[in-house]
Amino acid sequence: QHDPNHQRRIKMTRVIKVSSMAIAVLLAGLLLLVSLNWQKSVQLYHTITLFDEDKIVSNFSNMGDIIPTVTIEKSGQPHQFGQTPQALPATYQYKGEDKSLQEFLTRSSTTALLVLKGNDITFEDYYQGTGEQDQRISWSMAKSFLSALFGIAIEEGHIKNINELVTDYVPELKGSGYDGVTIKNVLQMSSGVAFNEDYQDFNSDINRMGRLLALGGSFDEFAASLVNEREQGTFLHYVSIDTHVIGMVLRNATGRSVADYFNEKLWSKLGTEQDTYYITDSTGEPMVLGGLNMLTRDYAKFGKLYLDNGRWNDQQIVPLNWVKDSVTPDAAHLMPGKRDSSDMEMGYGYQWWLPVNADEEFMAVGIYDQYIYVNKKANVVIVKNSANLDFTKNNYESFQESAQAFRAIAAAL
């Protein structure tokens, strides 16, 4: 006990133990940091390569493996459509020429096509190695789903009317491009907010938002950073983040998360076959402007809901007047056809598109050719999921060509 070397050995042992613990803590911290950075690096890689030709088809059916999500579970008994198979027409007319429908489906990189007449599926097929159980990305078709929720919230009295200002419900947007803008003008993509939606421009706002999704950040803060560029209510300028602002209004007005409200008011009522899920930002907020993922048949159920004026199984799910107003442009700059106030020919309602010469027809549309086409006169709904890399060419001409192909299918029934 009086051996000085023994005392030194005891002290050294203690130092080694403390040092070992410190090293262990440091290593754990480094491993956590590497893990977090690795996760961000993987997400960034997937974001950058999301639309690569050799990956796009698989990515569009497996978004949950790439980006954080929130799931909305199916509930109740799934609704089963009837089956009355019928061949597709061989051709359709576009710009005065007969076009091969099969060639169009191939050229536009179709991954799924479903045709519904009344309550019967007349055609359903899946392509490019995908199948009926794939949960396919909606892209901007999700905007039309959010519009339905918004109409329900107004009916329930959470929102007084669409002529109120968005900042009445979302005061954190005061001082941004949305300060003084009405809910209606945001719903109709006429907010006047400056936004570059060019997917081919690396520095565009839509691509900056994509990098935010990969690296972390808040859609709310992104919306608050935007500025105004023109008078509201005068020009149809497609601004995807407008839809997120509508989601912010919905959240604050109802005091509910979008996912919970979506589940209670819509998803739980449609007899869906499978869960759906939203892509989220790093705060867990759903990407309401384009982040839904679901079965093709479940997209068809939403189309069927609007075909039947918001009714499902004799229950009015979405208010009748809201359905009608959503697909009825009420200003010159929103009407289908050539106009000075937009570089697009498609008309626009409350987050729904109308083709040129629309005859009781409207569409939910997503980038790379995602469609829910509703033709009330023909009693037809058509869902097309795709991975079309040429979607943005020729000023989004595929809008109009797709509408003509859908009209031919409807007419054949």
Side-chain angles (χ1 to χ4, degrees):
Q1 61 183 354
H2 300 293
D3 180 1
N5 290 329
H6 177 68
Q7 295 299 323
R8 282 195 296 270
R9 284 194 295 270
I10 290 174
K11 288 180 180 179
M12 185 62 70
T13 300
R14 289 173 179 168
V15 169
I16 290 171
K17 286 182 178 178
V18 171
S19 298
S20 298
M21 289 177 63
I23 291 169
V25 171
L26 180 61
L27 284 173
L30 286 171
L31 286 171
L32 179 61
L33 185 62
V34 169
S35 174
L36 291 174
N37 285 336
W38 173 255
Q39 187 176 31
K40 284 187 176 181
S41 297
V42 169
Q43 283 186 212
L44 180 60
Y45 168 78
H46 282 308
T47 301
I48 292 172
T49 62
L50 187 60
F51 308 117
D52 283 6
E53 190 170 357
D54 61 336
K55 297 180 178 68
I56 186 171
V57 170
S58 176
N59 285 344
F60 280 16
S61 288
N62 297 282
M63 294 297 291
D65 297 336
I66 299 172
I67 300 173
T69 62
V70 58
T71 297
I72 302 168
E73 296 181 355
K74 66 174 182 176
S75 61
Q77 188 67 26
H79 175 80
Q80 299 294 330
F81 291 121
Q83 300 282 339
T84 56
Q86 184 168 328
L88 296 175
T91 62
Y92 63 100
Q93 275 220 335
Y94 184 61
K95 292 186 173 180
E97 296 181 14
D98 284 337
K99 300 273 190 176
S100 163
L101 184 58
Q102 189 57 55
E103 186 274 336
F104 165 74
L105 295 176
T106 301
R107 170 164 48 86
S108 59
S109 193
T110 306
T111 58
L113 184 69
L114 186 151
V115 182
L116 186 71
K117 171 80 171 181
N119 191 55
D120 291 340
I121 294 175
T122 64
F123 184 88
E124 181 180 11
D125 206 357
Y126 301 92
Y127 310 88
Q128 302 192 69
T130 69
E132 62 180 30
Q133 292 303 310
D134 283 29
Q135 290 173 296
R136 300 162 196 274
I137 181 71
S138 66
W139 297 125
S140 288
M141 291 194 300
K143 292 177 169 70
S144 302
F145 284 81
L146 188 71
S147 173
L149 291 181
F150 207 83
I152 294 169
I154 290 175
E155 179 78 5
E156 292 182 337
H158 297 296
I159 300 159
K160 293 179 183 178
N161 65 73
I162 59 175
N163 292 311
E164 292 182 286
L165 305 181
V166 294
T167 48
D168 291 342
Y169 295 89
V170 193
E172 54 265 45
L173 290 177
K174 288 182 178 178
S176 76
Y178 291 98
D179 199 349
V181 179
T182 67
I183 293 170
K184 181 178 182 180
N185 283 329
V186 180
L187 272 168
Q188 294 178 327
M189 293 291 177
S190 306
S191 64
V193 167
F195 193 86
N196 181 352
E197 191 99 6
D198 185 355
Y199 287 82
Q200 311 305 316
D201 180 353
F202 180 81
N203 293 313
S204 69
D205 294 301
I206 195 68
N207 284 331
R208 287 197 304 114
M209 196 175 70
R211 291 191 291 277
L212 175 148
L213 194 65
L215 296 175
S218 163
F219 289 142
D220 288 8
E221 292 177 2
F222 187 90
S225 73
L226 299 176
V227 299
N228 189 275
E229 69 174 354
R230 61 166 60 90
E231 183 182 354
Q232 62 174 304
T234 61
F235 189 90
L236 176 59
H237 179 201
Y238 193 73
V239 175
S240 275
I241 203 70
D242 277 3
T243 309
H244 182 77
V245 169
I246 292 299
M248 294 172 75
V249 172
L250 182 69
R251 278 160 34 203
N252 289 1
T254 62
R256 305 273 300 277
S257 73
V258 171
D260 286 346
Y261 199 69
F262 183 99
N263 182 37
E264 180 187 345
K265 302 301 179 181
L266 201 59
W267 195 248
S268 62
K269 300 179 182 294
L270 296 183
T272 54
E273 293 185 32
Q274 189 52 274
D275 301 342
T276 187
Y277 64 86
Y278 268 115
I279 293 168
T280 70
D281 66 15
S282 60
T283 72
E285 195 58 47
M287 184 178 165
V288 295
L289 59 89
L292 277 172
N293 297 261
M294 66 183 69
L295 302 186
T296 297
R297 281 194 292 270
D298 287 338
Y299 284 122
K301 287 167 186 171
F302 183 65
K304 171 69 170 168
L305 176 68
Y306 267 67
L307 178 71
D308 293 339
N309 297 312
R311 293 184 68 82
W312 187 270
N313 286 342
D314 295 326
Q315 181 183 1
Q316 194 73 40
I317 306 299
V318 183
L320 173 61
N321 287 341
W322 183 261
V323 173
K324 291 181 177 178
D325 291 346
S326 295
V327 298
T328 307
D330 62 358
H333 70 281
L334 301 170
M335 297 298 177
K338 290 187 181 297
R339 55 193 183 274
D340 294 333
S341 59
S342 177
D343 55 0
M344 291 183 177
E345 292 188 17
M346 298 277 282
Y348 206 70
Y350 299 161
Q351 310 280 292
W352 286 90
W353 291 96
L354 289 88
V356 174
N357 300 319
D359 187 10
E360 296 190 44
E361 305 159 276
F362 47 91
M363 297 192 286
V365 179
I367 191 81
Y368 298 97
D369 275 345
Q370 323 307 321
Y371 296 101
I372 302 173
Y373 166 83
V374 180
N375 185 321
K376 293 180 67 63
K377 273 193 172 180
N379 198 24
V380 166
V381 172
I382 299 172
V383 179
K384 183 180 186 293
N385 299 109
S386 320
N388 183 14
L389 286 165
D390 291 332
F391 176 80
T392 59
K393 289 185 177 178
N394 300 320
N395 208 21
Y396 298 92
E397 189 175 332
S398 62
F399 276 179
Q400 299 299 345
E401 185 170 7
S402 296
Q404 289 300 101
F406 297 154
R407 285 166 169 163
I409 293 171
L413 297 172

